[in-house]
Amino acid sequence: MNFDPLTDSGVSPADSLPPTYWHDTVTAPPYLPLEQDFTTDYLVIGGGYTGISAALTLAQSNAGSVTVIDSHSPGFGCAGRNAGFVLSGSGRLGPLALQKRFGMPVAQHIQAEFDGAVSDLLARVQAYNIDCDLTPGPYYKLAHTAEQAQAQAANATALAHQFQQPVTALNRSQLHSELPVQGFYGATRQPGYTLNPLKLIVGLAETAKARGVNIFGASPATAITRSNDGYTIATPGGTIKAGTVLIASNAYSNKKLHPMVNKRQFPVQSSILVTEPLTQTQCVQTGLNRAVSMMDTRKMKYYYRLLPDNRLLFGGRGEVAGKNAHRGQARLHQAMADSFPALRDKTVSHFWSGWVSVSMDSLPRVFFDYEAQIGYAMGYCGAGVSFANMAGRRLAQQATGQPVDSSLPLYNSPLPRFPLASLRRTALRALYSWARITER
Ligand SMILES: Cc1cc2nc3c(=O)[nH]c(=O)nc-3n(C[C@H](O)[C@H](O)[C@H](O)COP(=O)(O)OP(=O)(O)OC[C@H]3O[C@@H](n4cnc5c(N)ncnc54)[C@H](O)[C@@H]3O)c2cc1C
């Protein structure tokens, strides 16, 4: 049964690893559970990109002892299940939407931080010599209607001039001469990267371990209590005393972990299928004969890329409830066949789902309470491979009193709480029904 953050109390060490393509490519080393009481200066809860990046940053600044606990193992959450697109941006607001909400100077500043997150990740991969199949290649945003194609072309000009983004608009025939995908009216193209996300988190976790970070797997935080001398965190194998706590459990958080994060994000399922390797002819027929990645402009987006062994990875929205995750495979397969008719009969070798953390106002947050010495980073809305790395760094900087640009809305306010949180899934079902009718 798939884990469901809204109905289960939290990730269990006994949950099985997701059947991803990535798990066939790398075996993560074991991270043993905590089996006695323990004391640490900094405790990081969650071993994904956010948590491991925070831990690594703390270790590098010699701030004190650093410990990461994960309910299951580093990479059990999104970090080990995502599509591996490395793009500039996070949350659900593009640069122009950011401009509308915050004005041009702040929007440009946020975009620069997102761009910096990509550079920062690339620099870490290089500095720590992490073998994660990092590959440069064009990223296409495919317009699914003629109106979207026009809007995309206008956006490309604004993005290039006002945000210095290397974006090129392509009309329908230009798109089809570069990439013979079906059913699209135009696109934008910009540089991007893809990688193997599980290899990345394993590489980062091993780097953190080598720099003195304690990492315990199978050690869920079940309660966080504050006393005069810091925090006591309960885990099944022992309690942890910590001066500072950083919550990096993202959409995989326990239903009730801490008032600071409870009901401040909405876990939404995204699903991925992977095909058997394409033949050389199929690669040429579909334009998937180089390292490309793509996403369409639907509200319920589909995203796809070529894998190093010529398989197609095709992802999109998942089912609302965890127990129904398997139902998404047929819908994804149909969407894949619509875009790539030549692959209609291709066998699916892998299918899995994961939970992305959606914030109420579509913006991620890194928030630290200096008085209480506790903070969190989450709400990436399904775009966190680059920014979660930066968010973990910023969270660690806040925790050690280093300056972080507090003029950025990403860093100067908490995640807004969802009103009527119990109705989130009802609203999501309505949204999916609406999209089924309007976005074919
Ligand atoms: C199907 C899918 C495809 C995606 N594709 C992309 C993509 O191509 N590009 C992109 O930029 N983003 C993508 N994302 C989003 C991206 O993967 C996430 O934003 C990012 O991984 C978040 O990292 P994180 O460290 O914050 O959280 P996670 O990686 O989810 O880690 C959270 C960890 O916390 C642990 N945990 C939870 N509760 C506790 C507790 N109580 N005690 C201890 N540990 C706990 C969990 O076990 C988990 O390991 C995708 C997500 C999904 C699901």
Side-chain angles (χ1 to χ4, degrees):
M1 183 71 77
N2 260 16
F3 166 70
D4 189 326
L6 292 194
T7 54
D8 298 332
S9 52
V11 172
S12 157
D15 286 338
S16 37
L17 282 173
T20 76
Y21 167 81
W22 314 120
H23 286 82
D24 286 354
T25 66
V26 56
T27 305
Y31 294 95
L32 300 176
L34 184 70
E35 286 179 333
Q36 59 190 20
D37 292 350
F38 199 77
T39 300
T40 185
D41 293 317
Y42 294 88
L43 179 71
V44 179
I45 298 176
Y49 302 135
T50 305
I52 297 294
S53 167
L56 202 43
T57 308
L58 289 167
Q60 283 166 330
S61 63
N62 296 317
S65 53
V66 185
T67 303
V68 177
I69 53 171
D70 197 286
S71 296
H72 192 282
S73 50
F76 179 78
C78 287
R81 324 176 174 227
N82 67 69
F85 288 42
V86 183
L87 299 171
S88 173
S90 188
R92 286 146 66 101
L93 304 177
L96 300 177
L98 289 169
Q99 179 195 346
K100 237 186 214 158
R101 190 179 291 181
F102 300 111
M104 183 56 92
V106 172
Q108 283 172 330
H109 206 154
I110 295 175
Q111 188 55 44
E113 184 76 352
F114 288 154
D115 292 347
V118 175
S119 317
D120 194 52
L121 179 61
L122 300 185
R124 273 187 165 171
V125 166
Q126 192 179 19
Y128 307 141
N129 209 7
I130 297 175
D131 172 12
C132 59
D133 304 331
L134 181 69
T135 310
Y139 163 68
Y140 292 86
K141 195 156 180 193
L142 304 167
H144 74 290
T145 62
E147 294 73 36
Q148 271 297 335
Q150 272 181 355
Q152 288 290 306
N155 282 355
T157 310
L159 293 178
H161 290 126
Q162 290 158 353
F163 292 91
Q164 286 71 53
Q165 298 296 299
V167 185
T168 307
L170 305 172
N171 64 28
R172 196 173 189 165
S173 62
Q174 288 167 327
L175 169 64
H176 287 159
S177 66
E178 287 190 23
L179 200 65
V181 282
Q182 298 300 306
F184 296 103
Y185 293 77
T188 54
R189 175 182 15 84
Q190 62 195 98
Y193 292 86
T194 51
L195 50 67
N196 179 319
L198 186 62
K199 286 186 181 177
L200 175 64
I201 188 61
V202 168
L204 289 168
E206 287 299 290
T207 305
K209 212 163 80 176
R211 281 158 179 72
V213 173
N214 307 297
I215 305 183
F216 295 105
S219 301
T222 52
I224 304 172
T225 44
R226 191 180 177 199
S227 56
N228 288 340
D229 58 347
Y231 286 90
T232 304
I233 295 86
T235 78
T239 53
I240 303 175
K241 291 240 174 242
T244 300
V245 174
L246 303 182
I247 302 175
S249 44
N250 194 41
Y252 286 77
S253 301
N254 300 17
K255 250 194 304 189
K256 286 187 183 159
L257 184 59
H258 190 273
M260 201 176 207
V261 292
N262 297 345
K263 298 185 177 167
R264 287 181 190 268
Q265 48 111 18
F266 180 24
V268 172
Q269 221 166 187
S270 189
S271 297
I272 288 178
L273 66 75
V274 167
T275 66
E276 291 293 353
L278 275 52
T279 62
Q280 280 309 318
T281 312
Q282 287 169 330
C283 287
V284 173
Q285 273 174 329
T286 53
L288 294 168
N289 50 358
R290 63 214 157 105
V292 285
S293 53
M294 290 157 261
M295 197 177 302
D296 67 34
T297 51
R298 291 181 173 90
K299 273 215 174 339
M300 301 300 133
K301 300 174 190 345
Y302 292 111
Y303 49 90
Y304 22 106
R305 57 169 282 207
L306 189 67
L307 294 173
D309 59 355
N310 285 348
R311 293 166 196 263
L312 174 64
L313 176 155
F314 195 96
R317 77 155 176 89
E319 298 299 305
V320 174
K323 65 177 189 232
N324 297 332
H326 60 284
R327 291 190 193 158
Q329 181 171 342
R331 184 175 35 76
L332 268 188
H333 196 267
Q334 183 57 50
M336 188 263 288
D338 291 345
S339 301
F340 300 100
L343 305 183
R344 182 172 299 280
D345 298 324
K346 206 79 206 161
T347 308
V348 171
S349 60
H350 301 78
F351 173 77
W352 70 91
S353 298
W355 296 96
V356 304
S357 163
V358 173
S359 66
M360 172 71 191
D361 61 359
S362 302
L363 203 67
R365 292 297 198 294
V366 177
F367 187 71
F368 189 75
D369 181 335
Y370 290 90
E371 189 277 319
Q373 284 297 303
I374 186 166
Y376 62 83
M378 55 182 74
Y380 312 116
C381 305
V385 172
S386 62
F387 188 64
N389 180 62
M390 178 62 98
R393 183 190 283 288
R394 296 298 187 220
L395 184 61
Q397 288 172 335
Q398 290 179 345
T400 49
Q402 294 171 54
V404 167
D405 189 341
S406 60
S407 71
L408 287 182
L410 302 167
Y411 304 142
N412 65 14
S413 59
L415 281 170
R417 192 182 284 272
F418 275 85
L420 305 171
S422 58
L423 295 181
R424 285 173 291 182
R425 284 206 165 155
T426 310
L428 188 65
R429 280 196 186 91
L431 178 67
Y432 285 173
S433 301
W434 170 82
R436 239 192 324 270
I437 296 162
T438 57
E439 297 194 323
R440 290 186 181 278

